[in-house]
Structures are given as C-alpha cells and as structure tokens.
Amino acid sequence: MDQKTFNQKIVNLIRTPNSVDQVEIVSQFRLGSKLSPHNALGVYQEDYQARLTEALKNTYRAIHFIIGDDDFFHLASDYIKIYSSNFSNLDNYGNHLSFFLTTHPLSDEYIILPELANFEWLYREVFHLKQDEGLDGEALKNLLTIDQAFVKMVNSTRVLNYNYMISDLFNLKDKTHSDEEAQLDFDKPQHLLMSKNGTQVKTYILTINQWIIIQKFVTGCNIQDIFNTTLTAITPDEIQSLFQILGGERLLLQY
Amino acid sequence: MKIPKTSKLTNIFGLGLRSPHYSYLELQPATSAGWFEVISENYFQTRGRPRQILETLRADYPISCHGVSLSIASYEDFDWAYLHDLKKFYNEIEPFIVSDHLCFTGLQNNNTHNLLPVAYTQENLNHLSERIDKVQNFLGRTLAFENLSAYFNYQASTMTEWDFIAELTKKTDCNLLLDLNNIFVNSYNHQFDSDDFLNAIPFERVKELHLAGFRERDGFYFDTHSNPLYPELVELYKKVLKIKKNIPTLYEWDEDIPSFEILENQIKTLMNL
C-alpha cells in the first residue's frame, strides 16, 4: 500500500474504527514492538477520542458540570462521530454543539442544553476578542444633548435572549454550594449582555425593556430615537442602570 | 502592530506557555526560564487574554514557536490558509526558533490532532524534502523538525528513523528539534539502542531539545508529558551534553500541569547537571 492510501485509510480508521480496514492497516505494521499492531492502532484511536472530548470539556464546562462525566462522555462521543475536526487549533472544535443538542436525546432530559451550549460557545468567542473601548459615561451624557448622534455597540459584545436562566446555569459550575442547582428556578426567560472586561468576559442580566433598547444599538441608531420611539413602560431606573453599564464599560461607539 | 521584544537568551532552559500559569505570569515575576515556547496554532485567532500574555512575555523573553498541524508528511496539498496565518504569526512574534513535527496529522477537514509517522523509505524522503523546501521558501525561515513518539513502525520502511532523519538533513537545509523523551520511549517500545539514534544525528543541525516525563501503562511507555524527568532521561540528556552543549532545551509538561514553581525546580535540576 502506498503512503498516500495508507494515510487516507488510517485517518478514517482512527475516526471511525471498523474491523475490515483495521486488519488491512495493521498488516502494514512491523512486528517486534512491545505493542501489538492492534494495540498500537488503539493508542491513536483512543487518543483521538480523548483529545476531542477534552476540547469539548474545556469549552463546555457548565454543560459538563450539569450533566456529569458519564453523560458528557456519551454526548462527546456522539458529537465526535458526526463532526470531525477541520481546525489546526483543537480549541476551536465544538462549534456545532448547540445545534447538535437540539435533536440529541439528552436535551429531552435537560431542556436547557442547546441554549447553554450556545452561551458557552459565545462566551469563548468573546473571550478571544480584543476589547474595544467605546465612549465613557461623560461622553455618552454629552451625546444625549445632541440631535443627531449615531451610536452602535462595540464589536466585543453579544446581546442574547434565552428561554431559560442561562447565565445562572452557567455560573453553577463555580459555586461551592451543592444544593444551589436544586434551588434554582431556571424556567424563566433571560435577556443578557455579554462583554469584554479586561481579559475576562462579563455578563449583565437585562430587563426586557433594556434588551429592546440594546438591540437597536447593535445595528446602530440615533441615540435620541431610544427616547422618542419606544417603550412607554420603561422606568427611569431601567434607563439609568442601562446607561451606567454602557458608559461604565464603554460599550457604545459614535459613528 | 509593534510588540516590544527581547532577543536576549538568559539561559538555555525554556518552558511552555500554558493556560494554568496565566494568572501567575500576568504578574510578570522574575522566572528561571530563559525563554518560552508557544503552540503557534493556538494564537492565530485570539486577540484576548492568551495573546496579551504572549505579547507581555515577548518583551522579556525570546519565544520559540512550535507547531502541531503543519502535517509536513501529508500527501495532500498544504493548507495554504494555515500557512498564511503561520507566516503572519511568525512575523509578529519574531521567534528565535520555529518548529513542527516530522509527521502527518490527518486529511483535509479531518485533523486527528495526532502525530502520525511515515514509512522510512526513499520515496517518502524525496516527498518530505520537496515539501520542506516548499514550506521553508514560503515562510522565509528554516524550520526545525521534531522526531516523534511513534507507536508503530512500517513493514515498508527500508531505513531506520535516525538514518532517515540524517538523510533528510542532507537533502534539505532544515534543522532538527530533538525530543529525547520520544527517543527514549521509542527505544523502549520498539527495542532499539538510543545510542544508535544519537550517534547518527548531525548535531550541528540540532537547534532545540525537548525533555519531558512519560507514563508507563501495561508494560508500554507513553509520551504523555505528565511527570517529572525519569533518571533514564537525565542520563540520555547527559549523553547529549557530551556531544554538544548549550542547545536551547524545553522542559515540557502538558497533562496534569503542576504549579510554575515545580517546573522551575525541574529547570534548576537540569542547570546543575
């Protein structure tokens, strides 16, 4: 067998073990090593599973925490069967997990999983972004006095909307009290703003009114429109706390 | 963007930049490391914390860029997008050594994230030589290639690993990164004398050494980078020192990574040999 054919066959065999190709591949191995040919191939097959599983575990720490080792291992194994890695950096593996979970049986038991996976992937995405610096509180205050001042969110933010309390579920992995998960009533919608804070990622829980306003900033708008066109129900406190976040964290740019 | 850089190698012993040590290294302590090694691919996309720490370290330490996804022994075309990223990264960091492995890692769209050996044949020697020339020309740098821990050998091989490597250095101007742990693990698993390996290697081409701890399981040795140095490895290292001194040497620890202090203590042990 030439090297090119061997390469194709062994790579496929590492990803998807099958006895027919395995016999053909190990027949190419020289005898005399301490490892038998089948054991030698097994090292690569096990290592492949282990590395990809570890990569998923590193990104999806909250899911791992919530479903535990056994279920996470089975989930990873199912995912790895469907998705190979086409990344040079193994840390990038796992980008389809949220979508994959929408039809995975584990999501019948844990309905929060697709949304939690989406949150964890975005968290990872924001973690690796450069922090953009927008306008500070004072500059924002000045803009509010101008008729035509167009602003939008800086790039290192994500505005999120979930059916469950995903931010609280995400934080469970860092809690020390084992009974907190049982006490958490996660079956409520949650509106979130995720942003860079130095080298870390910070998440803010928003009211629905704040979330509606922030959505406008994502695409960009005249800052005055916020007050002219929307939300008669929004309270001064909601506006004040939102602008404290936007100014304090410098999350708006003028354009 | 210009990153402040030093080219001063204060000592030959380096450590890998790994995430469990970020919090410590962010404080910019004085360390026993003379340089740091980074896994190149891990920094292509990030502009977050990992990249910031690398840039901070770069001001005080020379950096070696080590790759795991070049797949120089592949029979498919290069991943040119990857090579462009690699070239850009090298130009930004200005490493004092650039390296990868003598292996293939998978197929297009199916990276096994494993380092797979090739048969040591004339055909593969010619193939690798062409690919090395091509990639070095593109990158504008001489790469150092690392010998593998391989858990199988090919029946088709017509030469030993060490003769293959020595021949490769004659056919190309590439350098070598000699991993002593890999030599030791292979010599045990495949039952050859590690001296035969060392005696065949053109040491003028060896620009970096790797040292690490292996793990024993069911009577085999595995290159896990998960333990302190075994005495056998120290002996092998002493033999290398008799052949050539002052080769930049990385102490690797990639699984169950201990505190930075423990790694520094391993370096101090090596300094006293």
Side-chain angles (χ1 to χ4, degrees):
Chain A
M1 187 187 300
D2 64 23
Q3 187 75 54
K4 184 177 181 180
T5 309
F6 180 90
N7 290 5
Q8 287 166 346
K9 290 199 171 195
I10 197 170
V11 168
N12 291 329
L13 198 52
I14 286 170
R15 185 175 169 216
T16 317
N18 75 82
S19 53
V20 176
D21 288 342
Q22 179 139 334
V23 169
E24 190 184 14
I25 282 296
V26 299
S27 73
Q28 305 294 311
F29 294 1
R30 177 176 286 173
L31 297 173
S33 295
K34 283 185 179 262
L35 284 95
S36 72
H38 284 279
N39 281 342
L41 182 61
V43 170
Y44 293 97
Q45 288 168 329
E46 281 175 30
D47 206 40
Y48 175 74
Q49 287 288 329
R51 281 173 196 257
L52 268 57
T53 301
E54 194 60 27
L56 292 172
K57 213 189 274 185
N58 285 340
T59 298
Y60 297 103
R61 288 170 57 219
I63 289 182
H64 177 229
F65 175 83
I66 287 169
I67 68 177
D69 274 339
D70 288 349
D71 277 344
F72 193 89
F73 178 81
H74 290 303
L75 171 63
S77 176
D78 291 344
Y79 183 82
I80 291 164
K81 274 182 203 145
I82 305 291
Y83 294 101
S84 61
S85 166
N86 55 359
F87 304 102
S88 62
N89 176 5
L90 180 56
D91 294 343
N92 293 341
Y93 184 68
N95 49 330
H96 298 297
L97 191 70
S98 176
F99 172 73
F100 181 74
L101 276 163
T102 57
T103 54
H104 192 276
L106 258 182
S107 297
D108 295 337
E109 196 177 342
Y110 302 95
I111 52 175
I112 45 84
L113 290 183
E115 287 195 349
L116 185 55
N118 172 268
F119 181 90
E120 293 206 88
W121 185 259
L122 293 174
Y123 186 95
R124 179 198 169 283
E125 205 170 85
V126 171
F127 175 80
H128 285 295
L129 291 174
K130 185 171 183 250
Q131 182 177 10
D132 296 325
E133 280 212 346
L135 303 162
D136 64 18
E138 199 55 38
L140 262 187
K141 212 193 258 176
N142 291 337
L143 279 190
L144 290 171
T145 62
I146 301 171
D147 273 350
Q148 296 284 315
F150 289 88
V151 291
K152 63 178 180 181
M153 300 291 289
V154 297
N155 185 42
S156 51
T157 54
R158 297 290 181 272
V159 179
L160 311 165
N161 180 32
Y162 294 116
N163 293 310
Y164 306 104
M165 296 184 63
I166 294 302
S167 173
D168 297 73
L169 287 161
F170 177 75
N171 289 332
L172 281 177
K173 66 187 187 315
D174 304 319
K175 306 276 189 207
T176 49
H177 302 296
S178 58
D179 59 348
E180 263 191 70
E181 184 180 1
Q183 291 171 2
L184 178 66
D185 177 16
F186 61 83
D187 195 6
K188 292 176 191 163
Q190 200 167 50
H191 314 287
L192 302 171
L193 169 65
M194 188 187 280
S195 73
K196 268 316 261 269
N197 183 267
T199 57
Q200 304 302 323
V201 178
K202 206 163 174 179
T203 305
Y204 297 93
I205 297 171
L206 305 175
T207 65
I208 179 70
N209 291 330
Q210 290 173 325
W211 184 79
I212 289 169
I213 289 176
I214 275 216
Q215 286 285 48
K216 291 183 181 295
F217 291 144
V218 171
T219 45
C221 66
N222 181 356
I223 201 164
Q224 290 295 342
D225 290 349
I226 301 304
F227 304 101
N228 297 338
T229 59
T230 54
L231 302 172
T232 49
I234 193 163
T235 66
D237 280 355
E238 280 178 294
I239 292 177
Q240 192 185 4
S241 66
L242 179 62
F243 275 84
Q244 267 172 0
I245 296 168
L246 295 171
E249 300 292 334
R250 298 181 165 219
L251 301 182
L252 287 178
L253 287 171
Q254 191 175 8
Y255 69 100
Chain B
M1 184 193 58
K2 277 281 174 201
I3 306 167
K5 299 177 186 85
T6 181
S7 55
K8 195 176 156 199
L9 202 64
T10 51
N11 76 68
I12 61 164
F13 295 102
L15 290 171
L17 175 57
R18 304 292 182 259
S19 56
H21 302 137
Y22 283 176
S23 298
Y24 177 69
L25 292 171
E26 273 169 339
L27 303 172
Q28 294 182 261
T31 78
S32 303
W35 52 279
F36 281 87
E37 181 207 78
V38 297
I39 303 299
S40 308
E41 294 85 356
N42 295 358
Y43 295 86
F44 289 174
Q45 262 97 45
T46 184
R47 287 295 177 271
R49 189 182 187 203
R51 174 72 184 207
Q52 285 174 31
I53 292 170
L54 170 58
E55 290 182 5
T56 304
L57 275 184
R58 186 65 191 88
D60 298 323
Y61 298 92
I63 298 289
S64 150
C65 291
H66 189 47
V68 290
S69 290
L70 176 60
S71 205
I72 193 72
S74 169
Y75 271 81
E76 294 180 324
D77 191 10
F78 285 111
D79 178 346
W80 287 100
Y82 167 84
L83 285 180
H84 278 278
D85 284 342
L86 191 63
K87 186 174 186 173
K88 180 168 173 273
F89 181 64
Y90 288 167
N91 289 341
E92 286 166 350
I93 300 301
E94 294 175 24
F96 77 108
I97 297 175
V98 291
S99 60
D100 204 291
H101 301 81
L102 278 176
C103 71
F104 67 99
T105 59
L107 304 169
Q108 278 170 5
N109 300 320
N110 192 357
N111 189 345
T112 68
H113 301 283
N114 240 308
L115 309 171
L116 292 150
V118 289
Y120 302 124
T121 62
Q122 190 62 46
E123 184 193 2
N124 279 335
L125 192 58
N126 296 339
H127 177 65
L128 270 167
S129 303
E130 277 177 33
R131 302 245 311 168
I132 288 171
D133 284 343
K134 208 181 225 182
V135 78
Q136 290 191 151
N137 284 337
F138 174 77
L139 294 171
R141 291 171 194 265
T142 305
L143 285 155
F145 286 97
E146 177 179 345
N147 56 300
L148 304 181
S149 276
Y151 298 100
F152 66 88
N153 286 319
Y154 290 82
Q155 286 203 34
S157 287
T158 55
M159 58 186 103
T160 59
E161 182 186 3
W162 47 93
D163 287 337
F164 185 86
I165 290 172
E167 282 301 310
L168 196 63
T169 60
K170 287 179 193 161
K171 283 178 76 75
T172 73
D173 64 351
C174 75
N175 290 321
L176 298 175
L177 189 172
L178 208 57
D179 188 312
L180 300 187
N181 188 52
N182 291 347
I183 294 174
F184 182 76
V185 164
N186 285 350
S187 73
Y188 180 83
N189 289 338
H190 304 308
Q191 300 175 77
F192 64 81
D193 187 340
S194 54
D195 285 356
D196 290 340
F197 199 117
L198 293 186
N199 291 338
I201 293 300
F203 266 84
E204 71 278 7
R205 296 288 189 88
V206 177
K207 301 300 177 190
E208 185 180 338
L209 299 175
H210 277 182
L211 291 171
F214 57 87
R215 186 172 285 165
E216 189 273 339
R217 195 179 80 195
D218 301 331
F220 313 117
Y221 288 169
F222 293 92
D223 174 39
T224 50
H225 302 180
S226 59
N227 283 308
L229 282 180
Y230 283 76
E232 299 96 316
L233 247 295
V234 175
E235 289 309 307
L236 197 60
Y237 180 58
K238 284 181 181 171
K239 284 182 183 176
V240 170
L241 289 181
K242 284 181 188 165
I243 302 169
K244 187 180 177 186
K245 290 190 194 313
N246 296 325
I247 306 172
T249 300
L250 179 79
Y251 185 72
E252 295 182 290
W253 200 318
D254 293 315
E255 263 183 39
D256 307 324
I257 298 174
S259 71
F260 196 82
E261 188 185 1
I262 289 176
L263 297 183
E264 287 187 298
N265 287 338
Q266 292 282 309
I267 280 186
K268 285 170 190 162
T269 305
L270 291 168
M271 282 173 175
N272 292 326
L273 290 178

